Amino acid sequence: MKRNIVIAAVTAAALIGGGTATALATTGDDGGSARQAATTQLSNDDVRDDDGDRDDDAEKTVSADVTASEAIASALKHTSGTVVSAELDDEDDSDKVTWKVDVLSGDNTWHSVSVDPSSGKVLGSQTDDEDDTARVRAALKGSSVTAEEAAKAAADKGVVTSVDLDEDGKNKSWEAETRTSGGAEQDWKIDLTSGKVTADRTDAQDDDADDADDQD
């Protein structure tokens, strides 16, 4: 289940001469992240600006003082329940980044809690309408690994930018996305009972299939 919204800008410019850049657009949906490459002719200045923007985004994400597990802990102090997802979110494509933590309370009410990534302070919360409460409850039945614990486990792989429950299919698990200091992203699966972290091969296979289709 992906409630995450990962926002990236694709910069387009008229042919001014000099330099070819490849822009990447990434969106989050129920099936995971879909990446689409588009080749655009840019001037040398535009290439530098575009690269600079991407570097700034990576640095902004990695430099968050509050980790995913700490943001989850802070959200639970504010709103008791079960955390189903947490994401470092660039809301409304603005420069302000916050942790968005989805909490399912005991009365089956969904809460979206915003946490400051610098201080860990809860900035506010709102009630959300979701139609998958039963599936989430069923997926977590018998689970011994919480979202907070999954985030801690994935932190060994890099800076955790999101953790989310995948309640679809046979092999239910926590999904986490990490980013290295160089900006490289990787998806991971965390077992709901053992906490074992493995690379998300499904995501990698989807990317390979997309590349093969593009070549055809």
Side-chain angles (χ1 to χ4, degrees):
M1 174 184 57
K2 285 287 183 184
R3 294 185 180 80
N4 304 337
I5 302 175
V6 183
I7 303 174
V10 177
T11 305
L15 178 59
I16 302 176
T20 300
T22 299
L24 295 179
T26 306
T27 61
D29 55 28
D30 289 344
S33 296
R35 296 171 177 82
Q36 178 181 1
T39 302
T40 308
Q41 295 288 338
L42 302 175
S43 69
N44 289 334
D45 288 341
D46 288 330
V47 171
R48 286 195 294 269
D49 289 342
D50 187 47
D51 288 341
D53 289 342
R54 289 200 297 270
D55 289 342
D56 289 344
D57 289 341
E59 179 64 25
K60 179 170 55 178
T61 299
V62 172
S63 63
D65 296 324
V66 177
T67 66
S69 59
E70 291 170 342
I72 290 172
S74 181
L76 287 175
K77 289 181 180 178
H78 180 273
T79 304
S80 61
T82 302
V83 170
V84 180
S85 69
E87 181 200 7
L88 195 59
D89 182 37
D90 188 2
E91 188 176 16
D92 298 328
D93 201 19
S94 66
D95 291 333
K96 186 175 181 179
V97 177
T98 60
W99 280 107
K100 294 294 186 183
V101 183
D102 287 334
V103 182
L104 177 58
S105 64
D107 62 355
N108 290 333
T109 300
W110 288 91
H111 303 268
S112 179
V113 183
S114 299
V115 179
D116 191 302
S118 298
S119 65
K121 179 181 178 181
V122 172
L123 302 175
S125 66
Q126 63 183 31
T127 301
D128 286 342
D129 293 327
E130 300 288 348
D131 59 4
D132 54 354
T133 301
R135 285 195 303 165
V136 168
R137 293 290 192 196
L140 289 174
K141 186 177 181 180
S143 171
S144 57
V145 178
T146 65
E148 183 178 356
E149 292 168 339
K152 288 180 179 179
D156 290 337
K157 307 298 184 180
V159 177
V160 178
T161 56
S162 70
V163 60
D164 186 75
L165 178 66
D166 178 13
E167 82 275 19
D168 296 325
K170 181 179 179 181
N171 298 320
K172 299 173 177 58
S173 65
W174 291 108
E175 293 181 333
E177 183 178 90
T178 61
R179 180 175 288 174
T180 66
S181 58
E185 295 181 353
Q186 176 67 54
D187 292 329
W188 307 90
K189 287 185 176 293
I190 301 93
D191 190 273
L192 290 174
T193 55
S194 68
K196 181 180 179 180
V197 180
T198 56
D200 188 349
R201 301 299 183 188
T202 302
D203 185 72
Q205 291 169 358
D206 289 343
D207 288 345
D208 291 342
D210 290 340
D211 292 340
D213 291 339
D214 291 339
Q215 292 177 358
D216 292 342

